[in-house]
Amino acid sequence: MASQNTFSDFKLATELPAWKKLQALYDASGKNISVKQEFAKDAKRFEKFSHTFTNFDGSKILFDFSKNLVNDEVKAALIELAKEAKVTGLRDAMFKGDHINYTEDRAVYHVALRNRANKPMYVDGKNVAPEVDAVLKHMKEFSEEVRSGAWKGYTGKKITDVINIGIGGSDLGPVMVTEALKHYATDIKVHFVSNIDGTHIAETLKVVDPETTLFLIASKTFTTAETITNATSAKNWFLSKTGNNPAHIAKHFAALSTNEKAVGEFGIDTKNMFGFDSWVGGRYSVWSSIGLSVALYIGYDRFEEFLKGAEAVDKHFTETPLEENIPLLGGLLSVWYNNFFDAQTHLVAPFDQYLHRFPAYLQQLSMESNGKSVTRGNVFANYSTGSILFGEPATNAQHSFFQLVHQGTKIIPSDFILAAQSHNPIESKLHQKMLASNFFAQAEALMVGKDAAQVEAEGATGGLVPHKIFSGNRPTTSILAQKITPATLGSLIAYYEHVTFTEGAIWNINSFDQWGVELGKVLAKVIGKELEGSEIVKAHDESTNGLINQFKQWM
């Protein structure tokens, strides 16, 4: 276990010599770096600033950083910043199971969940690898029984639908992964309920049969208010449809939780309970038993490939020199834009319909992790931290917010993601070629732009000319995979996890707590009690009182 002092003695990022060097570089010439000119000066720029990751199965992902606003001098200073901020020390502490989440006195050990090499990995002196492997074996046995039909509902029918009831990481992860890997699904349908709005559970229950539906209740503590409320509604619906016999619950409910007592009191057979430890943060939990819906949907063997893809990136992140370390470079670029170019946002645009929930997943990973203003030294940072991450699948996004990316006043660093091989190569691959042409063209257009001379050469005159000018020199990172397989997806998620880690290490913040979600939850419990009675509420500010009282009147 590492003490708080191990992590609180790091300086503010602005106090580091490399930070000051980067500021001087930015002021002198960095803010005026022209990527077009950098390519003209260096014929090997693409080769120098792009890196190919090779997965455990031999598949590859190309990360092209060459269209970013950096040169050799800036890159060297960024690497120096990583060294001075002791990024590798914090990384190694995480992989050793130290309590780097010092505000909650916990290890940050989601990397142990994808340790398919089964090497010893310790937390507080205990090797957790056997326990992780035991849970995975339980998941394999259970998922294979359900998928094969050996596991049957209370009337002897095969399970056809799975409803995962969770919230936050217990929902966003499995939703995204099942959508991304839909190509690998067979005959089991998966549904997800997270919103406490009754519409979500009500609409989901309309399309399933209680005789053939399996509910997964995903809550580590089994006390999460929204999840347990939805789970109780699901249980009541199930009992009302099945003769109010509690014995039937055992065949139709499983718990992704560690609270055996609460699970049993709910009526779930504790043999159908899949645990995970306190060192698994919610936004990193898809690698744990929270991924059971994924294993049920695509099969356990594919789920294991998913884990191995992430494990391969872990190996790269821990063993590759900083100058070639792909996630570290991605994180350093984010810091360069956020803190020196004053970029407030980061766009992730997958050119892949299966990845349509990927940006939403990354929003929690990035913004819940690095949306902090207090450093590990327990002082407020005097610099910007977490970026606002957003995104939607292209090419549809090109017809909505790409206007702002190309011609707006803000600099928006962007990641574009494409698979060279489509799972659906219809019309002689016409669709995939059109998709790819947009992937390449958008990154090129953002870099090269269009000046007044080009606009006038195309026939525009007078006041119309400035409206058709594109400034260009807008940074993109292009991520080109061979195909979106379970292994590739695991690798992409792990890449962004370690990008986020690198950002937080540079900013000297704890990327692994989430106190910011607590205050609203506490106040909601107070207000929830006030909504029960008919009396006028006066305990809050005038606005909140007015809203509550109007709601009670209309409800």
Side-chain angles (χ1 to χ4, degrees), residues 19-58:
W19 187 284
K20 297 173 183 177
K21 182 177 181 178
L22 282 162
Q23 188 63 61
L25 281 172
Y26 174 81
D27 292 339
S29 60
K31 60 185 174 184
N32 296 316
I33 288 176
S34 166
V35 178
K36 283 197 296 184
Q37 291 177 12
E38 293 299 323
F39 272 108
K41 288 189 293 186
D42 187 353
K44 293 189 175 181
R45 180 175 172 84
F46 172 74
E47 181 181 332
K48 285 166 55 178
F49 285 90
S50 63
H51 304 272
T52 300
F53 167 76
T54 302
N55 220 322
F56 77 93
D57 59 359

Side-chain angles (χ1 to χ4, degrees), residues 151 215 217 222 228 231-232 235-236 238-239 245-255 259-273:
W151 180 286
F215 294 90
I217 314 304
F222 222 74
I228 300 307
T232 301
K235 182 176 75 170
N236 291 339
F238 175 79
L239 290 172
N245 187 345
H248 297 332
I249 291 175
K251 284 294 185 182
H252 293 270
F253 282 78
N259 190 339
E260 185 172 343
K261 181 174 183 292
V263 168
E265 290 175 350
F266 186 87
I268 296 175
D269 187 339
T270 54
K271 287 187 289 187
N272 303 337
M273 193 174 90

Side-chain angles (χ1 to χ4, degrees), residues 7 87-100 107-115 119-124 126-128 310-319 325 327 494-495 497-498 501-502 512:
F7 307 112
V87 174
T88 56
L90 190 65
R91 174 201 66 191
D92 294 345
M94 177 174 73
F95 276 83
K96 285 193 301 181
D98 289 351
H99 288 210
I100 67 170
V108 176
Y109 226 30
H110 50 276
V111 293
L113 298 170
R114 56 240 196 174
N115 171 30
K119 62 186 179 185
M121 297 185 76
Y122 292 88
V123 174
D124 299 330
K126 176 186 177 183
N127 179 14
V128 301
E311 180 186 32
V313 170
D314 293 341
K315 181 177 173 65
H316 171 92
F317 186 53
T318 54
E319 298 179 2
N325 197 301
Y495 163 76
E497 285 181 354
H498 296 321
F501 172 91
T502 300
F512 305 104

Side-chain angles (χ1 to χ4, degrees), residues 213-319:
T213 299
L214 173 67
F215 294 90
L216 304 180
I217 314 304
S219 173
K220 184 191 298 186
T221 62
F222 222 74
T223 59
T224 308
E226 298 92 340
T227 299
I228 300 307
T229 300
N230 277 326
T232 301
S233 296
K235 182 176 75 170
N236 291 339
W237 171 85
F238 175 79
L239 290 172
S240 72
K241 300 286 186 180
T242 59
N244 289 307
N245 187 345
H248 297 332
I249 291 175
K251 284 294 185 182
H252 293 270
F253 282 78
L256 316 180
S257 177
T258 56
N259 190 339
E260 185 172 343
K261 181 174 183 292
V263 168
E265 290 175 350
F266 186 87
I268 296 175
D269 187 339
T270 54
K271 287 187 289 187
N272 303 337
M273 193 174 90
F274 300 81
F276 52 103
D277 276 287
S278 62
W279 39 257
V280 181
R283 55 193 174 278
Y284 303 97
S285 61
V286 72
W287 315 107
S288 73
S289 61
I290 292 296
L292 182 58
S293 57
V294 179
L296 286 162
Y297 190 53
I298 65 172
Y300 179 81
D301 290 345
R302 297 290 192 187
F303 181 73
E304 179 130 330
E305 291 170 12
F306 172 66
L307 299 179
K308 287 182 177 179
E311 180 186 32
V313 170
D314 293 341
K315 181 177 173 65
H316 171 92
F317 186 53
T318 54
E319 298 179 2

Side-chain angles (χ1 to χ4, degrees), residues 369-386:
S369 294
N370 289 338
K372 316 290 171 59
S373 55
V374 177
T375 71
R376 293 198 300 268
N378 304 323
V379 297
F380 283 92
N382 59 359
Y383 42 83
S384 173
T385 57

